[in-house]
Amino acid sequence: MNLERPTFLFTSESVSEGHPDKVADQISDTVVDAFLAADPYARVACETLVTTNRIILAGEVRGPDGVVEGLEEKVRAAIKDIGYEQDGFHWKTADYACYLHSQSADIAMGVDAAGNKDEGAGDQGIMFGYATSETPELMPATLQYSHNILKVLADARHADRTLGLEPDAKSQVTLVYENGKPVRAASIVLSTQHREGLTPADVAHIVRPYILGVLPEDFVTPETAWHINPTGNFVIGGPDGDTGLTGRKIIVDTYGGAAPHGGGAFSGKDPTKVDRSAAYACRYLAKNVVAAGLADRCTIQIGYAIGVSRPLSFYVSLHGDDRVDAAVLERILPDMIGGATPRGIREHLGLNRPIYARTAAYGHFGRDPEADGGFSWEKTDLVDELRRAF
C-alpha cells in the first residue's frame, strides 16, 4: 500500500466460514486442536480437501494413539457448526477418508531438541507481521471491514435460519484513502449463498442493514457502488459448488494485500511450524510497536532455516516514520520473545494449546485475546516495556 500518494483506492476481500477453502482450513485446525488437546507437544501437518459430499484428510502427525480414530466425529461436528446440511454437502452423510500418517523421521530429527541442540524451526521460510493505526484493531481497514461484514452476516444466519442465507459467502471492500487514512467507501461487493427463490434484490434488502452497521457512518455515500450477488444467483455453493483446499486463502488470513506475507499457510500446522508461530510472533511485535505509539505502521520479517533455532534475519520497517530507530527495534524485539526461536515464541505466546480452529475463519489477526490463550499474539502487553526502551 503506497501511502506516499495523497489519494488512492485500495481493496481487500474476505471469505466466510462456509467458503470451501475455509471449510478445509477449519477441518485442518480441528485436527490440530484434537492432537494438542491429547498432547501439547504433538506434531501435525494436516491438509484437507472438501468437494461434493466428500471430505479427505492427508498429512503427517505424531501424537498419542487413538486421536486419529476419533477425528471423524470432530470433523463432522465442525461442519455441522458451520451449517452445512445440503444435498451436495451434508455434515452427516458426506464420505470421509483419512490418510494421515506418521511424521517423517528425518524432519523430526532436525526439529526436535536433543542434547545441546535446541528445538529447530519446522521449515525454512520467511514470515511477516504488520500493524497499522488506521483501525482500533491495528489492522488494514479494507480487510477488517471485509471480515466484519461476513462475521455479522454469519451470526445473523445462525440466529435466524428464516433469513434465507446459506454458509458460503465472499466480501470485498474498496476504500478511498486521503493522506494515508481511509475516509469513505468507493465500492462494496458481497456474494452470499442463499436459498432457492431469492432474487439479488431480496438478498440486498437482507444484507444491506448489516453492512451499514459495520462501516463507519460517514463512509457510505451516494457515490458508493454496491454489488450484491452480481452473478444473479448463488444457490449452489460451498464444497458442492467449488472444491476447497487447506491454505488457499493466506491473503485473507493475513493482511488483505496491505502488507507482505510469507508463502506458508497457517491452518493444519502445530506451533513448531514457524509458518504459523513466527507469523503470529511478527504480528505480536508489530502490533505492540504501533500500540506503543512508536510508529503508525510497522512491518516485521523473520527468516528461518529448517532445523536451526536462531532466526537467520530479523527486519523491521517503520515505513519512513522516524520517531524511533528501526535498527534499535531489530536489536531489542527478538529478546522480548525468547530470541525469536521456535521454542521462545511458543512459550512466550503459550501456543501449545488447542486454540486453532477458531482462527481459521475471519482472519488470524485483528481479534481479541481470549481467556484460555486464544489469540495471545493480539495482546499489547509489551507496550510499557517498549516505551521505556525509548
Side-chain angles (χ1 to χ4, degrees):
M1 187 186 296
N2 183 5
L3 295 181
E4 284 70 41
R5 293 174 55 192
T7 303
F8 60 91
L9 302 180
F10 195 79
T11 303
S12 295
E13 70 158 346
S14 184
V15 298
S16 73
E17 65 199 53
H19 185 281
D21 294 330
K22 279 289 137 200
V23 173
D25 284 345
Q26 288 164 95
I27 291 171
S28 290
D29 274 341
T30 295
V31 173
V32 173
D33 283 354
F35 272 91
L36 292 179
D39 177 1
Y41 299 98
R43 301 291 171 80
V44 183
C46 175
E47 312 295 341
T48 301
L49 179 149
V50 288
T51 186
T52 301
N53 279 327
R54 189 173 295 275
I55 308 156
I56 300 172
L57 276 58
E60 301 78 43
V61 296
R62 188 174 78 196
D65 294 338
V67 177
V68 170
E69 288 73 16
L71 287 177
E72 181 175 356
E73 181 180 357
K74 291 180 171 62
V75 167
R76 292 190 185 278
I79 297 169
K80 182 180 182 181
D81 286 344
I82 295 168
Y84 274 113
E85 297 183 338
Q86 300 171 1
D87 290 342
F89 192 71
H90 196 296
W91 65 269
K92 190 174 184 179
T93 58
D95 291 337
Y96 170 87
C98 180
Y99 299 102
L100 294 171
H101 59 85
S102 296
Q103 183 190 47
S104 160
D106 290 347
I107 293 176
M109 179 176 62
V111 175
D112 291 351
N116 294 325
K117 176 186 174 297
D118 194 8
E119 177 184 305
D123 201 353
Q124 70 176 47
I126 56 173
M127 293 81 208
F128 289 92
Y130 179 70
T132 171
S133 61
E134 63 189 58
T135 63
E137 298 87 356
L138 305 187
M139 287 287 287
T142 48
L143 180 65
Q144 194 65 47
Y145 296 145
S146 295
H147 284 327
N148 292 351
I149 286 168
L150 294 176
K151 184 64 170 67
V152 299
L153 287 172
D155 291 344
R157 172 177 61 84
H158 285 299
D160 184 2
R161 294 294 296 141
T162 67
L163 280 179
L165 302 181
E166 297 293 340
D168 194 358
K170 301 177 76 171
S171 65
Q172 186 169 285
V173 174
T174 301
L175 297 181
V176 179
Y177 281 73
E178 293 180 355
N179 299 316
K181 301 294 182 184
V183 295
R184 62 184 179 276
S187 65
I188 299 164
V189 181
L190 180 80
S191 296
T192 181
Q193 188 183 15
H194 57 86
R195 71 166 181 254
E196 187 74 67
L198 292 180
T199 66
D202 294 330
V203 174
H205 178 74
I206 293 168
V207 304
R208 188 180 175 105
Y210 294 101
I211 296 172
L212 292 174
V214 165
L215 295 170
E217 186 175 353
D218 57 347
F219 267 42
V220 177
T221 71
E223 288 73 41
T224 300
W226 290 76
H227 302 280
I228 307 298
N229 279 21
T231 62
N233 204 46
F234 190 179
V235 174
I236 301 171
D240 187 30
D242 190 14
T243 297
L245 294 169
T246 301
R248 284 206 299 197
K249 289 292 177 285
I250 56 177
I251 202 165
V252 171
D253 289 339
T254 55
Y255 305 103
H261 60 73
F266 301 158
S267 291
K269 297 176 181 177
D270 73 77
T272 66
K273 277 70 170 176
V274 285
D275 281 339
R276 180 169 223 158
S277 57
Y280 289 174
C282 288
R283 161 63 179 175
Y284 172 64
L285 295 175
K287 184 176 183 181
N288 274 271
V289 167
V290 174
L294 305 185
D296 286 332
R297 291 193 296 148
C298 179
T299 299
I300 293 176
Q301 185 210 56
I302 307 179
Y304 290 92
I306 188 169
V308 179
S309 61
R310 288 283 172 179
L312 306 183
S313 63
F314 190 100
Y315 168 75
V316 176
S317 171
L318 302 179
H319 301 271
D321 198 318
D322 60 1
R323 274 174 269 183
V324 299
D325 186 348
V328 175
L329 286 169
E330 289 171 354
R331 188 169 66 249
I332 68 174
L333 287 175
D335 289 339
M336 293 183 174
I337 53 170
T341 66
R343 183 198 300 272
I345 290 169
R346 286 191 300 101
E347 292 180 352
H348 185 90
L349 295 178
L351 298 180
N352 287 98
R353 313 185 220 190
I355 55 174
Y356 296 105
R358 70 193 77 169
T359 69
Y362 312 114
H364 292 247
F365 309 127
R367 313 280 286 272
D368 292 330
E370 297 178 348
D372 67 349
F375 301 102
S376 60
W377 49 95
E378 291 297 310
K379 295 186 295 185
T380 53
D381 54 351
L382 300 180
V383 164
D384 290 342
E385 186 176 355
L386 284 167
R387 287 174 177 164
R388 285 195 300 269
F390 290 94

mmCIF file with all atom_site columns, all heavy atoms in Angstrom, residues 266-285:
data_model
loop_
_atom_site.group_PDB
_atom_site.id
_atom_site.type_symbol
_atom_site.label_atom_id
_atom_site.label_alt_id
_atom_site.label_comp_id
_atom_site.label_asym_id
_atom_site.label_entity_id
_atom_site.label_seq_id
_atom_site.pdbx_PDB_ins_code
_atom_site.Cartn_x
_atom_site.Cartn_y
_atom_site.Cartn_z
_atom_site.occupancy
_atom_site.B_iso_or_equiv
_atom_site.pdbx_formal_charge
_atom_site.auth_seq_id
_atom_site.auth_comp_id
_atom_site.auth_asym_id
_atom_site.auth_atom_id
_atom_site.pdbx_PDB_model_num
ATOM 1   N N   . PHE A 1 266 ? -1.202 -21.167 7.426  1.00 0.00 ? 266 PHE A N   1
ATOM 2   C CA  . PHE A 1 266 ? -1.238 -21.356 8.871  1.00 0.00 ? 266 PHE A CA  1
ATOM 3   C C   . PHE A 1 266 ? -1.984 -22.631 9.263  1.00 0.00 ? 266 PHE A C   1
ATOM 4   O O   . PHE A 1 266 ? -1.497 -23.424 10.064 1.00 0.00 ? 266 PHE A O   1
ATOM 5   C CB  . PHE A 1 266 ? -1.925 -20.177 9.549  1.00 0.00 ? 266 PHE A CB  1
ATOM 6   C CG  . PHE A 1 266 ? -1.286 -18.834 9.315  1.00 0.00 ? 266 PHE A CG  1
ATOM 7   C CD1 . PHE A 1 266 ? -2.017 -17.672 9.465  1.00 0.00 ? 266 PHE A CD1 1
ATOM 8   C CD2 . PHE A 1 266 ? 0.042  -18.725 8.939  1.00 0.00 ? 266 PHE A CD2 1
ATOM 9   C CE1 . PHE A 1 266 ? -1.446 -16.436 9.272  1.00 0.00 ? 266 PHE A CE1 1
ATOM 10  C CE2 . PHE A 1 266 ? 0.634  -17.494 8.730  1.00 0.00 ? 266 PHE A CE2 1
ATOM 11  C CZ  . PHE A 1 266 ? -0.119 -16.333 8.892  1.00 0.00 ? 266 PHE A CZ  1
ATOM 12  N N   . SER A 1 267 ? -3.171 -22.816 8.725  1.00 0.00 ? 267 SER A N   1
ATOM 13  C CA  . SER A 1 267 ? -4.077 -23.857 9.214  1.00 0.00 ? 267 SER A CA  1
ATOM 14  C C   . SER A 1 267 ? -3.517 -25.247 8.960  1.00 0.00 ? 267 SER A C   1
ATOM 15  O O   . SER A 1 267 ? -2.858 -25.514 7.950  1.00 0.00 ? 267 SER A O   1
ATOM 16  C CB  . SER A 1 267 ? -5.448 -23.720 8.559  1.00 0.00 ? 267 SER A CB  1
ATOM 17  O OG  . SER A 1 267 ? -6.099 -22.550 9.024  1.00 0.00 ? 267 SER A OG  1
ATOM 18  N N   . GLY A 1 268 ? -3.789 -26.139 9.913  1.00 0.00 ? 268 GLY A N   1
ATOM 19  C CA  . GLY A 1 268 ? -3.349 -27.519 9.819  1.00 0.00 ? 268 GLY A CA  1
ATOM 20  C C   . GLY A 1 268 ? -1.974 -27.769 10.380 1.00 0.00 ? 268 GLY A C   1
ATOM 21  O O   . GLY A 1 268 ? -1.486 -28.898 10.319 1.00 0.00 ? 268 GLY A O   1
ATOM 22  N N   . LYS A 1 269 ? -1.335 -26.742 10.958 1.00 0.00 ? 269 LYS A N   1
ATOM 23  C CA  . LYS A 1 269 ? 0.049  -26.875 11.421 1.00 0.00 ? 269 LYS A CA  1
ATOM 24  C C   . LYS A 1 269 ? 0.146  -26.637 12.925 1.00 0.00 ? 269 LYS A C   1
ATOM 25  O O   . LYS A 1 269 ? -0.412 -25.667 13.447 1.00 0.00 ? 269 LYS A O   1
ATOM 26  C CB  . LYS A 1 269 ? 0.941  -25.878 10.685 1.00 0.00 ? 269 LYS A CB  1
ATOM 27  C CG  . LYS A 1 269 ? 0.994  -26.117 9.183  1.00 0.00 ? 269 LYS A CG  1
ATOM 28  C CD  . LYS A 1 269 ? 1.795  -25.070 8.464  1.00 0.00 ? 269 LYS A CD  1
ATOM 29  C CE  . LYS A 1 269 ? 1.801  -25.345 6.957  1.00 0.00 ? 269 LYS A CE  1
ATOM 30  N NZ  . LYS A 1 269 ? 2.508  -24.297 6.205  1.00 0.00 ? 269 LYS A NZ  1
ATOM 31  N N   . ASP A 1 270 ? 0.881  -27.504 13.594 1.00 0.00 ? 270 ASP A N   1
ATOM 32  C CA  . ASP A 1 270 ? 1.136  -27.289 15.017 1.00 0.00 ? 270 ASP A CA  1
ATOM 33  C C   . ASP A 1 270 ? 2.146  -26.158 15.176 1.00 0.00 ? 270 ASP A C   1
ATOM 34  O O   . ASP A 1 270 ? 2.795  -25.749 14.201 1.00 0.00 ? 270 ASP A O   1
ATOM 35  C CB  . ASP A 1 270 ? 1.656  -28.589 15.647 1.00 0.00 ? 270 ASP A CB  1
ATOM 36  C CG  . ASP A 1 270 ? 3.084  -28.901 15.239 1.00 0.00 ? 270 ASP A CG  1
ATOM 37  O OD1 . ASP A 1 270 ? 4.007  -28.270 15.789 1.00 0.00 ? 270 ASP A OD1 1
ATOM 38  O OD2 . ASP A 1 270 ? 3.283  -29.768 14.366 1.00 0.00 ? 270 ASP A OD2 1
ATOM 39  N N   . PRO A 1 271 ? 2.315  -25.623 16.395 1.00 0.00 ? 271 PRO A N   1
ATOM 40  C CA  . PRO A 1 271 ? 3.128  -24.406 16.564 1.00 0.00 ? 271 PRO A CA  1
ATOM 41  C C   . PRO A 1 271 ? 4.628  -24.585 16.438 1.00 0.00 ? 271 PRO A C   1
ATOM 42  O O   . PRO A 1 271 ? 5.357  -23.595 16.542 1.00 0.00 ? 271 PRO A O   1
ATOM 43  C CB  . PRO A 1 271 ? 2.743  -23.914 17.961 1.00 0.00 ? 271 PRO A CB  1
ATOM 44  C CG  . PRO A 1 271 ? 2.229  -25.109 18.671 1.00 0.00 ? 271 PRO A CG  1
ATOM 45  C CD  . PRO A 1 271 ? 1.567  -25.948 17.624 1.00 0.00 ? 271 PRO A CD  1
ATOM 46  N N   . THR A 1 272 ? 5.147  -25.804 16.208 1.00 0.00 ? 272 THR A N   1
ATOM 47  C CA  . THR A 1 272 ? 6.569  -25.905 15.882 1.00 0.00 ? 272 THR A CA  1
ATOM 48  C C   . THR A 1 272 ? 6.816  -25.434 14.454 1.00 0.00 ? 272 THR A C   1
ATOM 49  O O   . THR A 1 272 ? 7.965  -25.147 14.095 1.00 0.00 ? 272 THR A O   1
ATOM 50  C CB  . THR A 1 272 ? 7.102  -27.343 16.020 1.00 0.00 ? 272 THR A CB  1
ATOM 51  O OG1 . THR A 1 272 ? 6.489  -28.185 15.039 1.00 0.00 ? 272 THR A OG1 1
ATOM 52  C CG2 . THR A 1 272 ? 6.870  -27.888 17.416 1.00 0.00 ? 272 THR A CG2 1
ATOM 53  N N   . LYS A 1 273 ? 5.755  -25.357 13.648 1.00 0.00 ? 273 LYS A N   1
ATOM 54  C CA  . LYS A 1 273 ? 5.903  -24.880 12.277 1.00 0.00 ? 273 LYS A CA  1
ATOM 55  C C   . LYS A 1 273 ? 5.955  -23.352 12.297 1.00 0.00 ? 273 LYS A C   1
ATOM 56  O O   . LYS A 1 273 ? 4.973  -22.687 12.617 1.00 0.00 ? 273 LYS A O   1
ATOM 57  C CB  . LYS A 1 273 ? 4.745  -25.334 11.402 1.00 0.00 ? 273 LYS A CB  1
ATOM 58  C CG  . LYS A 1 273 ? 4.863  -26.745 10.848 1.00 0.00 ? 273 LYS A CG  1
ATOM 59  C CD  . LYS A 1 273 ? 4.709  -27.807 11.880 1.00 0.00 ? 273 LYS A CD  1
ATOM 60  C CE  . LYS A 1 273 ? 4.593  -29.202 11.264 1.00 0.00 ? 273 LYS A CE  1
ATOM 61  N NZ  . LYS A 1 273 ? 4.525  -30.255 12.296 1.00 0.00 ? 273 LYS A NZ  1
ATOM 62  N N   . VAL A 1 274 ? 7.125  -22.795 11.929 1.00 0.00 ? 274 VAL A N   1
ATOM 63  C CA  . VAL A 1 274 ? 7.283  -21.343 12.014 1.00 0.00 ? 274 VAL A CA  1
ATOM 64  C C   . VAL A 1 274 ? 6.427  -20.604 10.992 1.00 0.00 ? 274 VAL A C   1
ATOM 65  O O   . VAL A 1 274 ? 6.201  -19.394 11.142 1.00 0.00 ? 274 VAL A O   1
ATOM 66  C CB  . VAL A 1 274 ? 8.766  -20.941 11.874 1.00 0.00 ? 274 VAL A CB  1
ATOM 67  C CG1 . VAL A 1 274 ? 9.524  -21.257 13.150 1.00 0.00 ? 274 VAL A CG1 1
ATOM 68  C CG2 . VAL A 1 274 ? 9.421  -21.612 10.668 1.00 0.00 ? 274 VAL A CG2 1
ATOM 69  N N   . ASP A 1 275 ? 5.944  -21.311 9.953  1.00 0.00 ? 275 ASP A N   1
ATOM 70  C CA  . ASP A 1 275 ? 4.961  -20.677 9.076  1.00 0.00 ? 275 ASP A CA  1
ATOM 71  C C   . ASP A 1 275 ? 3.851  -20.049 9.901  1.00 0.00 ? 275 ASP A C   1
ATOM 72  O O   . ASP A 1 275 ? 3.348  -18.965 9.575  1.00 0.00 ? 275 ASP A O   1
ATOM 73  C CB  . ASP A 1 275 ? 4.331  -21.714 8.133  1.00 0.00 ? 275 ASP A CB  1
ATOM 74  C CG  . ASP A 1 275 ? 5.217  -22.059 6.965  1.00 0.00 ? 275 ASP A CG  1
ATOM 75  O OD1 . ASP A 1 275 ? 6.108  -21.264 6.638  1.00 0.00 ? 275 ASP A OD1 1
ATOM 76  O OD2 . ASP A 1 275 ? 5.025  -23.141 6.382  1.00 0.00 ? 275 ASP A OD2 1
ATOM 77  N N   . ARG A 1 276 ? 3.472  -20.739 10.953 1.00 0.00 ? 276 ARG A N   1
ATOM 78  C CA  . ARG A 1 276 ? 2.385  -20.275 11.799 1.00 0.00 ? 276 ARG A CA  1
ATOM 79  C C   . ARG A 1 276 ? 2.893  -19.468 12.990 1.00 0.00 ? 276 ARG A C   1
ATOM 80  O O   . ARG A 1 276 ? 2.566  -18.295 13.160 1.00 0.00 ? 276 ARG A O   1
ATOM 81  C CB  . ARG A 1 276 ? 1.572  -21.478 12.284 1.00 0.00 ? 276 ARG A CB  1
ATOM 82  C CG  . ARG A 1 276 ? 0.407  -21.123 13.175 1.00 0.00 ? 276 ARG A CG  1
ATOM 83  C CD  . ARG A 1 276 ? -0.538 -22.280 13.422 1.00 0.00 ? 276 ARG A CD  1
ATOM 84  N NE  . ARG A 1 276 ? -1.914 -21.822 13.334 1.00 0.00 ? 276 ARG A NE  1
ATOM 85  C CZ  . ARG A 1 276 ? -2.953 -22.595 13.090 1.00 0.00 ? 276 ARG A CZ  1
ATOM 86  N NH1 . ARG A 1 276 ? -2.784 -23.895 12.901 1.00 0.00 ? 276 ARG A NH1 1
ATOM 87  N NH2 . ARG A 1 276 ? -4.166 -22.093 13.018 1.00 0.00 ? 276 ARG A NH2 1
ATOM 88  N N   . SER A 1 277 ? 3.718  -20.093 13.820 1.00 0.00 ? 277 SER A N   1
ATOM 89  C CA  . SER A 1 277 ? 4.097  -19.469 15.087 1.00 0.00 ? 277 SER A CA  1
ATOM 90  C C   . SER A 1 277 ? 4.911  -18.197 14.891 1.00 0.00 ? 277 SER A C   1
ATOM 91  O O   . SER A 1 277 ? 4.706  -17.194 15.601 1.00 0.00 ? 277 SER A O   1
ATOM 92  C CB  . SER A 1 277 ? 4.871  -20.464 15.960 1.00 0.00 ? 277 SER A CB  1
ATOM 93  O OG  . SER A 1 277 ? 6.010  -20.954 15.285 1.00 0.00 ? 277 SER A OG  1
ATOM 94  N N   . ALA A 1 278 ? 5.839  -18.177 13.938 1.00 0.00 ? 278 ALA A N   1
ATOM 95  C CA  . ALA A 1 278 ? 6.643  -16.976 13.733 1.00 0.00 ? 278 ALA A CA  1
ATOM 96  C C   . ALA A 1 278 ? 5.834  -15.859 13.085 1.00 0.00 ? 278 ALA A C   1
ATOM 97  O O   . ALA A 1 278 ? 6.073  -14.675 13.357 1.00 0.00 ? 278 ALA A O   1
ATOM 98  C CB  . ALA A 1 278 ? 7.876  -17.297 12.896 1.00 0.00 ? 278 ALA A CB  1
ATOM 99  N N   . ALA A 1 279 ? 4.857  -16.210 12.237 1.00 0.00 ? 279 ALA A N   1
ATOM 100 C CA  . ALA A 1 279 ? 3.970  -15.182 11.690 1.00 0.00 ? 279 ALA A CA  1
ATOM 101 C C   . ALA A 1 279 ? 3.146  -14.558 12.808 1.00 0.00 ? 279 ALA A C   1
ATOM 102 O O   . ALA A 1 279 ? 2.896  -13.336 12.813 1.00 0.00 ? 279 ALA A O   1
ATOM 103 C CB  . ALA A 1 279 ? 3.061  -15.781 10.621 1.00 0.00 ? 279 ALA A CB  1
ATOM 104 N N   . TYR A 1 280 ? 2.708  -15.379 13.767 1.00 0.00 ? 280 TYR A N   1
ATOM 105 C CA  . TYR A 1 280 ? 1.993  -14.835 14.923 1.00 0.00 ? 280 TYR A CA  1
ATOM 106 C C   . TYR A 1 280 ? 2.915  -13.932 15.737 1.00 0.00 ? 280 TYR A C   1
ATOM 107 O O   . TYR A 1 280 ? 2.509  -12.859 16.218 1.00 0.00 ? 280 TYR A O   1
ATOM 108 C CB  . TYR A 1 280 ? 1.490  -15.973 15.809 1.00 0.00 ? 280 TYR A CB  1
ATOM 109 C CG  . TYR A 1 280 ? 0.348  -16.791 15.241 1.00 0.00 ? 280 TYR A CG  1
ATOM 110 C CD1 . TYR A 1 280 ? -0.102 -17.924 15.923 1.00 0.00 ? 280 TYR A CD1 1
ATOM 111 C CD2 . TYR A 1 280 ? -0.282 -16.457 14.053 1.00 0.00 ? 280 TYR A CD2 1
ATOM 112 C CE1 . TYR A 1 280 ? -1.160 -18.692 15.427 1.00 0.00 ? 280 TYR A CE1 1
ATOM 113 C CE2 . TYR A 1 280 ? -1.324 -17.213 13.550 1.00 0.00 ? 280 TYR A CE2 1
ATOM 114 C CZ  . TYR A 1 280 ? -1.758 -18.334 14.236 1.00 0.00 ? 280 TYR A CZ  1
ATOM 115 O OH  . TYR A 1 280 ? -2.799 -19.079 13.750 1.00 0.00 ? 280 TYR A OH  1
ATOM 116 N N   . ALA A 1 281 ? 4.178  -14.349 15.910 1.00 0.00 ? 281 ALA A N   1
ATOM 117 C CA  . ALA A 1 281 ? 5.125  -13.542 16.678 1.00 0.00 ? 281 ALA A CA  1
ATOM 118 C C   . ALA A 1 281 ? 5.394  -12.204 15.989 1.00 0.00 ? 281 ALA A C   1
ATOM 119 O O   . ALA A 1 281 ? 5.498  -11.161 16.653 1.00 0.00 ? 281 ALA A O   1
ATOM 120 C CB  . ALA A 1 281 ? 6.427  -14.310 16.869 1.00 0.00 ? 281 ALA A CB  1
ATOM 121 N N   . CYS A 1 282 ? 5.516  -12.222 14.662 1.00 0.00 ? 282 CYS A N   1
ATOM 122 C CA  . CYS A 1 282 ? 5.744  -10.979 13.926 1.00 0.00 ? 282 CYS A CA  1
ATOM 123 C C   . CYS A 1 282 ? 4.571  -10.013 14.096 1.00 0.00 ? 282 CYS A C   1
ATOM 124 O O   . CYS A 1 282 ? 4.769  -8.802  14.286 1.00 0.00 ? 282 CYS A O   1
ATOM 125 C CB  . CYS A 1 282 ? 5.972  -11.278 12.453 1.00 0.00 ? 282 CYS A CB  1
ATOM 126 S SG  . CYS A 1 282 ? 7.545  -12.046 12.059 1.00 0.00 ? 282 CYS A SG  1
ATOM 127 N N   . ARG A 1 283 ? 3.367  -10.533 14.015 1.00 0.00 ? 283 ARG A N   1
ATOM 128 C CA  . ARG A 1 283 ? 2.189  -9.686  14.233 1.00 0.00 ? 283 ARG A CA  1
ATOM 129 C C   . ARG A 1 283 ? 2.175  -9.140  15.656 1.00 0.00 ? 283 ARG A C   1
ATOM 130 O O   . ARG A 1 283 ? 1.917  -7.956  15.884 1.00 0.00 ? 283 ARG A O   1
ATOM 131 C CB  . ARG A 1 283 ? 0.905  -10.498 13.972 1.00 0.00 ? 283 ARG A CB  1
ATOM 132 C CG  . ARG A 1 283 ? -0.373 -9.932  14.558 1.00 0.00 ? 283 ARG A CG  1
ATOM 133 C CD  . ARG A 1 283 ? -0.770 -8.577  13.996 1.00 0.00 ? 283 ARG A CD  1
ATOM 134 N NE  . ARG A 1 283 ? -2.043 -8.119  14.598 1.00 0.00 ? 283 ARG A NE  1
ATOM 135 C CZ  . ARG A 1 283 ? -2.602 -6.938  14.380 1.00 0.00 ? 283 ARG A CZ  1
ATOM 136 N NH1 . ARG A 1 283 ? -2.026 -6.071  13.575 1.00 0.00 ? 283 ARG A NH1 1
ATOM 137 N NH2 . ARG A 1 283 ? -3.739 -6.621  14.965 1.00 0.00 ? 283 ARG A NH2 1
ATOM 138 N N   . TYR A 1 284 ? 2.475  -9.981  16.623 1.00 0.00 ? 284 TYR A N   1
ATOM 139 C CA  . TYR A 1 284 ? 2.502  -9.591  18.036 1.00 0.00 ? 284 TYR A CA  1
ATOM 140 C C   . TYR A 1 284 ? 3.469  -8.424  18.261 1.00 0.00 ? 284 TYR A C   1
ATOM 141 O O   . TYR A 1 284 ? 3.119  -7.410  18.878 1.00 0.00 ? 284 TYR A O   1
ATOM 142 C CB  . TYR A 1 284 ? 2.911  -10.800 18.859 1.00 0.00 ? 284 TYR A CB  1
ATOM 143 C CG  . TYR A 1 284 ? 3.188  -10.589 20.319 1.00 0.00 ? 284 TYR A CG  1
ATOM 144 C CD1 . TYR A 1 284 ? 2.187  -10.171 21.203 1.00 0.00 ? 284 TYR A CD1 1
ATOM 145 C CD2 . TYR A 1 284 ? 4.457  -10.844 20.827 1.00 0.00 ? 284 TYR A CD2 1
ATOM 146 C CE1 . TYR A 1 284 ? 2.457  -10.011 22.556 1.00 0.00 ? 284 TYR A CE1 1
ATOM 147 C CE2 . TYR A 1 284 ? 4.728  -10.702 22.176 1.00 0.00 ? 284 TYR A CE2 1
ATOM 148 C CZ  . TYR A 1 284 ? 3.726  -10.280 23.042 1.00 0.00 ? 284 TYR A CZ  1
ATOM 149 O OH  . TYR A 1 284 ? 3.988  -10.125 24.384 1.00 0.00 ? 284 TYR A OH  1
ATOM 150 N N   . LEU A 1 285 ? 4.653  -8.545  17.724 1.00 0.00 ? 285 LEU A N   1
ATOM 151 C CA  . LEU A 1 285 ? 5.644  -7.492  17.925 1.00 0.00 ? 285 LEU A CA  1
ATOM 152 C C   . LEU A 1 285 ? 5.270  -6.226  17.165 1.00 0.00 ? 285 LEU A C   1
ATOM 153 O O   . LEU A 1 285 ? 5.374  -5.112  17.703 1.00 0.00 ? 285 LEU A O   1
ATOM 154 C CB  . LEU A 1 285 ? 7.021  -7.995  17.493 1.00 0.00 ? 285 LEU A CB  1
ATOM 155 C CG  . LEU A 1 285 ? 7.597  -9.138  18.320 1.00 0.00 ? 285 LEU A CG  1
ATOM 156 C CD1 . LEU A 1 285 ? 8.908  -9.630  17.699 1.00 0.00 ? 285 LEU A CD1 1
ATOM 157 C CD2 . LEU A 1 285 ? 7.809  -8.722  19.767 1.00 0.00 ? 285 LEU A CD2 1
#
